[in-house]
Amino acid sequence: MADPDTGAVLRRILHVSDIHCGFPFVAEHVAAALQVAATSRIDAIVISGDFSQRARVKEFERARAILEQFRAVAPTIEVPGNHDTAWWHAPFGWGDASRLHDGYRQYINPVLEPVVRVPGVTMVGLNSAAGMLPQAVTWYPRDWRVKGGLTASQFDWAQRELAASPAGDLRLLVVHHNVVRGRLSHRWGLKQPETALDRLAALPVDVVCTGHDHEARADVVPRRTGRFLVSGANTLSSRSRKHRPSALNVIEATASQITVRAWGYHEGVFVPGPMSATLDRR
């Protein structure tokens, strides 16, 4: 660990999302993301869901090979996305909800809500990809199969896991669905988003990592219950909104502050861009 008084980076986290193995997959974007991981002294890697496009075996097999390459660089944490969820097994809660994530469990991670602790970093994952279960279903058909949901018991569990982290740890919560409203889509990722924001801000968390909305985001989110940084990673696929470049985020923590910065894809590589947000750790 570097001397805290120098302002040097103590921890660096790579955050990628929405690989979408299937027809939107872009091998060059994934290769460039792996290059960032290999050359940037990364302490851990966050992958916030949508490994597949249609939760098919071939897509998960390809995603598994990519995940193994990231794991060869640094410890990873991953959560499922709505595209990884076989919602048709339990539409509107009817059917066998235990099968929603069969493919994800087999090929990506048998644990849907992992806790990963590395020196100086605590990462907790929450599964917001509930398919068409009640916690994610709204009255609007456009939301069906897409909207995410989190329950009170999930927030309570995250509270306990994050509170158990050593003093001084960089604390990350990983959720697939965007927790802030999209600037381009104008859509919330979660059902009951305002309630979710208050619950998130009350957690002992520094950064909430999300994907889903296919738009790069780096913001400080102030609420009456607290505040946190949001790291919204853009997709690595061809489905970026408004034809904007694919992007990933890099999270850096010094002794006094945490910064999230979006890196955009340009001429075969990801390069740091102007979008960033900083939270004072003091």
Side-chain angles (χ1 to χ4, degrees), residues 9 16 107 113 128 187 189 199 224 245 247 271:
V9 173
V16 302
Y107 293 99
E113 298 190 320
S128 62
R187 286 171 62 80
R199 289 299 307 262
R224 62 178 180 81
V271 295

Side-chain angles (χ1 to χ4, degrees), residues 51-281:
F51 289 82
S52 68
Q53 178 63 18
R54 291 287 182 265
R56 294 170 176 151
V57 169
K58 291 294 184 182
E59 295 169 352
F60 279 130
E61 288 177 340
R62 189 173 197 178
R64 174 69 185 192
I66 294 167
L67 178 58
E68 288 175 349
Q69 293 179 74
F70 279 116
R71 286 176 171 170
V73 175
T76 69
I77 185 170
E78 46 280 329
V79 294
N82 57 295
H83 282 263
D84 303 319
T85 305
W87 59 268
W88 50 89
H89 288 306
F92 301 105
W94 293 90
D96 187 359
S98 69
R99 298 189 60 194
L100 292 179
H101 300 102
D102 279 356
Y104 179 91
R105 289 179 188 272
Q106 180 176 354
Y107 293 99
I108 305 301
N109 194 331
V111 180
L112 300 182
E113 298 190 320
V115 177
V116 178
R117 303 183 192 275
V118 298
V121 182
T122 294
M123 303 182 290
V124 174
L126 286 181
N127 174 27
S128 62
M132 294 179 69
L133 296 182
Q135 63 262 38
V137 172
T138 74
W139 291 106
Y140 303 102
R142 186 184 179 190
D143 289 342
W144 297 348
R145 311 183 305 276
V146 177
K147 188 72 73 176
L150 294 171
T151 65
S153 62
Q154 286 178 289
F155 283 115
D156 291 343
W157 175 80
Q159 167 76 35
R160 293 192 296 271
E161 293 296 335
L162 289 164
S165 61
D169 261 20
L170 172 63
R171 293 160 297 180
L172 308 179
L173 185 73
V174 184
V175 182
H176 172 65
H177 288 81
N178 53 301
V179 300
V180 293
R181 190 177 185 181
R183 293 194 181 104
L184 300 176
S185 69
H186 307 295
R187 286 171 62 80
W188 295 95
L190 293 173
K191 181 180 178 180
Q192 299 181 324
E194 297 289 349
T195 300
L197 283 173
D198 284 340
R199 289 299 307 262
L200 290 168
L203 296 174
V205 67
D206 299 308
V207 186
V208 177
C209 299
T210 70
H212 183 65
D213 201 41
H214 294 199
E215 178 189 1
R217 292 294 294 271
D219 294 288
V220 176
V221 180
R223 303 291 293 184
R224 62 178 180 81
T225 53
R227 62 177 182 163
F228 60 90
L229 268 174
V230 66
S231 172
N234 200 346
T235 180
L236 294 185
S237 75
S238 63
R239 299 184 66 197
S240 184
R241 292 191 183 276
K242 303 288 186 181
H243 304 289
R244 295 190 176 189
S246 176
L248 52 79
N249 289 356
V250 175
I251 303 163
E252 295 184 333
T254 69
S256 60
Q257 63 184 25
I258 304 165
T259 299
V260 175
R261 183 174 298 277
W263 291 35
Y265 185 79
H266 180 68
E267 296 183 351
V269 296
F270 284 102
V271 295
M275 181 185 295
S276 69
T278 298
L279 185 69
D280 192 333
R281 299 185 79 178

